[in-house]
Amino acid sequence: AEYGETFEGTSSSSDSSSKRPLMTVGKTTEDNVIQFLQVFEERYGRVHPAFHMGSLKSAMSAAFSVPADSKRPLIVFLHSDKPLTAHLFCSQVVCSESIAHYIDQNFVMWVQDLTESRLQQQLLTEVQSIFGTDGRRQVEFYVPDKLPLMIVITKVASSPQVFAVFQGDISPDLLMAQLVDAVEN
């Protein structure tokens, strides 16, 4: 199916995996990432970028607190089951074999499900503790109404900077071009 067309994939509204939450309030970050991975693969299959198995802070360390030749941009993938675009974005963009491979080779990817409002508040608190009030405001602009999305963060001089934000209506080809741009610049 072309992007934007109806997708008849690995899940439907009657599947139990489509009803299981990707993350649960009250679980540890690591347990939630494991749950996200399990449910995501039940819904969309095993072709997807590797998800960093830890907190946002540890994902930033994996991306930026390494020798210079190992530094990679960070993708923060914020997901919600509520928007109609979420299924298409996951099945046709995130799970595109070429995009998944490119992300794995060139980025660290961290995921957070924001379907539940308490998970949104947890994320905003974590973002504020890392990036301050300005970072929190940037994320609040998108959450919850403009999900799903990917935020590409690069390190400029000594501080992380938002390089780009890709919303769930982006085509696979445009996302790939923008990811290449993020790596080359």
Side-chain angles (χ1 to χ4, degrees), residues 72-83:
R72 301 184 287 165
L74 173 65
I75 294 178
V76 175
F77 173 31
L78 302 179
H79 177 80
S80 174
D81 284 334
K82 292 179 182 176

Side-chain angles (χ1 to χ4, degrees), residues 103-116:
I103 288 173
D104 284 345
Q105 296 300 309
N106 296 287
F107 295 86
V108 172
M109 186 174 204
W110 182 78
V111 297
Q112 176 69 44
D113 178 52
L114 301 175
T115 303
E116 293 186 41

Side-chain angles (χ1 to χ4, degrees), residues 1-4 88-89 92-94 96-100 102 166-181:
E2 290 293 315
Y3 185 77
L88 286 173
F89 184 70
Q92 296 183 8
V93 180
V94 177
S96 158
E97 198 167 324
S98 59
I99 289 173
Y102 192 78
F166 308 117
Q167 291 183 251
D169 59 354
I170 193 169
S171 72
D173 291 340
L174 182 56
L175 178 63
M176 180 63 90
Q178 296 291 332
L179 292 174
V180 169
D181 189 45

Side-chain angles (χ1 to χ4, degrees):
E2 290 293 315
Y3 185 77
E5 292 180 7
T6 302
F7 179 79
E8 297 177 20
T10 59
S11 70
S12 70
S13 60
S14 63
D15 285 347
S16 62
S17 64
S18 67
K19 296 175 186 163
R20 276 183 57 202
L22 287 159
M23 291 185 171
T24 305
V25 173
K27 283 191 171 186
T28 66
T29 300
E30 292 75 16
D31 287 344
N32 262 329
V33 175
I34 291 167
Q35 179 177 322
F36 186 98
L37 178 63
Q38 291 170 341
V39 176
F40 191 89
E41 287 184 350
E42 288 170 10
R43 292 180 186 180
Y44 304 109
R46 299 194 72 164
V47 174
H48 58 78
F51 303 135
H52 179 79
M53 301 303 268
S55 67
L56 176 56
K57 192 171 190 173
S58 72
M60 290 182 61
S61 291
F64 307 130
S65 297
V66 294
D69 62 340
S70 298
K71 289 183 181 180
R72 301 184 287 165
L74 173 65
I75 294 178
V76 175
F77 173 31
L78 302 179
H79 177 80
S80 174
D81 284 334
K82 292 179 182 176
L84 297 175
T85 56
H87 179 71
L88 286 173
F89 184 70
C90 290
S91 63
Q92 296 183 8
V93 180
V94 177
C95 295
S96 158
E97 198 167 324
S98 59
I99 289 173
H101 178 74
Y102 192 78
I103 288 173
D104 284 345
Q105 296 300 309
N106 296 287
F107 295 86
V108 172
M109 186 174 204
W110 182 78
V111 297
Q112 176 69 44
D113 178 52
L114 301 175
T115 303
E116 293 186 41
S117 62
R118 287 184 291 173
L119 291 170
Q120 294 169 20
Q121 289 308 311
Q122 287 176 355
L123 172 71
L124 292 172
T125 299
E126 186 171 13
V127 166
Q128 184 164 345
S129 74
I130 296 169
F131 298 106
T133 304
D134 287 342
R136 180 184 174 113
R137 281 192 201 119
Q138 283 184 314
V139 173
E140 283 177 325
F141 177 77
Y142 294 100
V143 174
D145 300 326
K146 297 178 179 164
L147 298 174
L149 59 88
M150 291 181 177
I151 302 169
V152 177
I153 300 172
T154 57
K155 197 158 190 181
V156 178
S158 63
S159 64
Q161 303 286 325
V162 172
F163 178 82
V165 177
F166 308 117
Q167 291 183 251
D169 59 354
I170 193 169
S171 72
D173 291 340
L174 182 56
L175 178 63
M176 180 63 90
Q178 296 291 332
L179 292 174
V180 169
D181 189 45
V183 169
E184 292 178 355
N185 295 312

